[in-house]
Amino acid sequence: MIALNDEQTMVLEMVRRFAREELAERAPEYDKRGEYPWPQLRKMGELGLLGMNTPEAWGGTGLDAVTWALVMEEIAAADPSVAVIFSVTSGLPQYMLLRFGSDEQKEKYLRPLAEGRWIGAFALTEASAGSDPKGLKSTAERVDGGYRLSGVKSWITSGGQAQLYVIMARAPEGITAFLVPAEAEGLSFGEPEEKMGLHAAHTTEVRMDGVFVPEADRLGEEGKGLHYALAGLDSGRLGIAAQAVGIARAAFEIARDYADEREQFGRKIREFQ
Ligand SMILES: Cc1cc2nc3c(=O)[nH]c(=O)nc-3n(C[C@H](O)[C@H](O)[C@H](O)COP(=O)(O)OP(=O)(O)OC[C@H]3O[C@@H](n4cnc5c(N)ncnc54)[C@H](O)[C@@H]3O)c2cc1C
């Protein structure tokens, strides 16, 4: 057990209330309809939850990693789809921008993400490049003033919903990360994939058909994109673990409550244990 400080206790109480009142009740309906949970995400933005790891100077709330993991656990216990979207937008694009972005990029892209006005997506995976992303085939051809991106990304969380896509593609010097706004010409999205769960967290293809990205929107150095992406994924793993804990806890609590309510042979079934 870790002892929580006053700030962590306060944040956790606020998030538990929010998760109970705003997420848990709506989660089954959103999941059934496969509807992206914009109202819930907007509320999280207003509460300062979508930019928890980003310093206040860039629009976030600048809380520590332990608080982020505790919040993730609570959100996942109430609505795993919201937790996945939350994990990606705060753990990947914001983390990568904060660590590797220029001040101009932080102002333009990190601030709206951290303030919760935008949702960010991370596009690394391709049909033939999953666990082994260095095999990715999307290209970034150098052109006057920037690059042209072509290729197809698979399984992108918040595809078609996010306002910013951090896309890894192969430039002349190697895999490079690019900051691509949703409205970029030549960028399009597939339909949400059919999954076994997490239906409200849309997962789609992201298609690039000669998308022009100005030099100013290349993240960091050319050829360093895979390193940046893996650094982001490393930080994100903590969030995935916290989600698993939250989901397991919620499953246990639901089963425990049911065992306390269901009767067979004239007794509550938990009494047979
Ligand atoms: C819900 C969801 C959301 C996602 N969101 C995003 C996103 O936002 N952005 C993004 O870029 N990607 C996303 N992905 C893709 C995800 O990152 C990939 O699914 C993941 O990288 C694994 O790739 P794969 O599915 O192709 O599996 P594969 O690489 O084909 O692996 C299949 C199995 O083989 C195992 N395996 C592979 N290599 C080895 C090895 N060397 N040794 C032992 N076992 C091995 C794997 O562990 C796995 O069990 C998402 C996926 C899902 C399901």
Side-chain angles (χ1 to χ4, degrees), residues 84 88 92 121-127 129-132 154-158 195 198 203:
V84 169
V88 172
L92 290 160
F122 168 87
L124 178 65
T125 304
E126 297 179 1
S131 304
D132 183 17
S154 315
W155 294 101
I156 306 309
T157 297
S158 298
K195 307 197 293 296
L198 299 173
T203 321

Side-chain angles (χ1 to χ4, degrees), residues 239-263:
I240 305 289
Q243 282 171 48
V245 172
I247 292 168
R249 196 193 78 203
F252 167 74
E253 287 170 357
I254 290 166
R256 181 201 57 200
D257 292 351
Y258 181 70
D260 210 26
E261 164 202 313
R262 173 75 174 162
E263 291 187 4

Side-chain angles (χ1 to χ4, degrees), residues 28-29 45 72 84 110 125 167 188 196 198 207 219 235 241 252:
E29 279 307 310
M72 188 68 73
V84 169
L110 178 58
T125 304
I167 299 180
S188 62
M196 292 169 71
L198 299 173
R207 301 167 186 148
L219 184 68
S235 103
F252 167 74

Side-chain angles (χ1 to χ4, degrees), residues 1-18:
M1 281 292 274
I2 48 167
L4 303 184
N5 63 32
D6 289 349
E7 185 180 60
Q8 289 169 330
T9 306
M10 197 183 72
V11 171
L12 213 52
E13 274 170 15
M14 182 266 285
V15 169
R16 281 198 180 125
R17 195 167 52 245
F18 166 74

